[in-house]
Amino acid sequence: MTATQHRPSLSHLPSPTPSEPAAPHPLSLDSLPLYSLEVIAPSGQAPQLDGWTVQGWPVASLGDLTLQARPQHPATPDDLRAALTRAGFTPLGPVRTHR
C-alpha cells in the first residue's frame, strides 16, 4: 500500500485580506542626536524651548552655561541655534553632536 499526500488546492485557502498601511513608528528620543554647546544666558538659567529637552550647567569656558539639548523631533544644530536665539540666548562656539 502506498501513502499519498493530500495537498489543498489554492481555492480552499483563505484569500489574503488587504492590509492597511502601517502607522509610522514614533521616533524614540534615544534615536535623536544630543547636542551640546555653550551660551550666554541673560537669566543664568537653562532655557525652556518648545520641542527640545534642555539641561544646563554653570560650567563654561566661553559663556554662562553649557547646555545639552535633545530635539523631540528631527532637528539640526542650526535649528537649535535658531531656537536659542529666539529665546534670547546667545549660542557660542561649535554645536557638538553626540549619538
Side-chain angles (χ1 to χ4, degrees):
M1 187 160 136
T2 59
T4 60
Q5 290 183 337
H6 173 71
R7 293 189 178 155
S9 70
L10 292 178
S11 63
H12 292 103
L13 296 176
S15 61
T17 57
S19 61
E20 293 183 25
H25 294 282
L27 290 173
S28 143
L29 282 183
D30 293 336
S31 70
L32 297 170
L34 178 67
Y35 299 122
S36 62
L37 75 158
E38 293 186 22
V39 297
I40 295 175
S43 66
Q45 301 290 323
Q48 299 288 321
L49 302 177
D50 287 338
W52 294 85
T53 302
V54 180
Q55 293 179 303
W57 294 270
V59 178
S61 59
L62 298 175
D64 300 321
L65 296 173
T66 297
L67 297 181
Q68 282 189 337
R70 187 179 305 271
Q72 298 167 356
H73 49 78
T76 66
D78 288 338
D79 296 327
L80 175 58
R81 286 180 169 280
L84 287 166
T85 302
R86 282 191 305 272
F89 290 75
T90 304
L92 300 172
V95 176
R96 293 171 200 81
T97 303
H98 311 277
R99 290 271 173 187

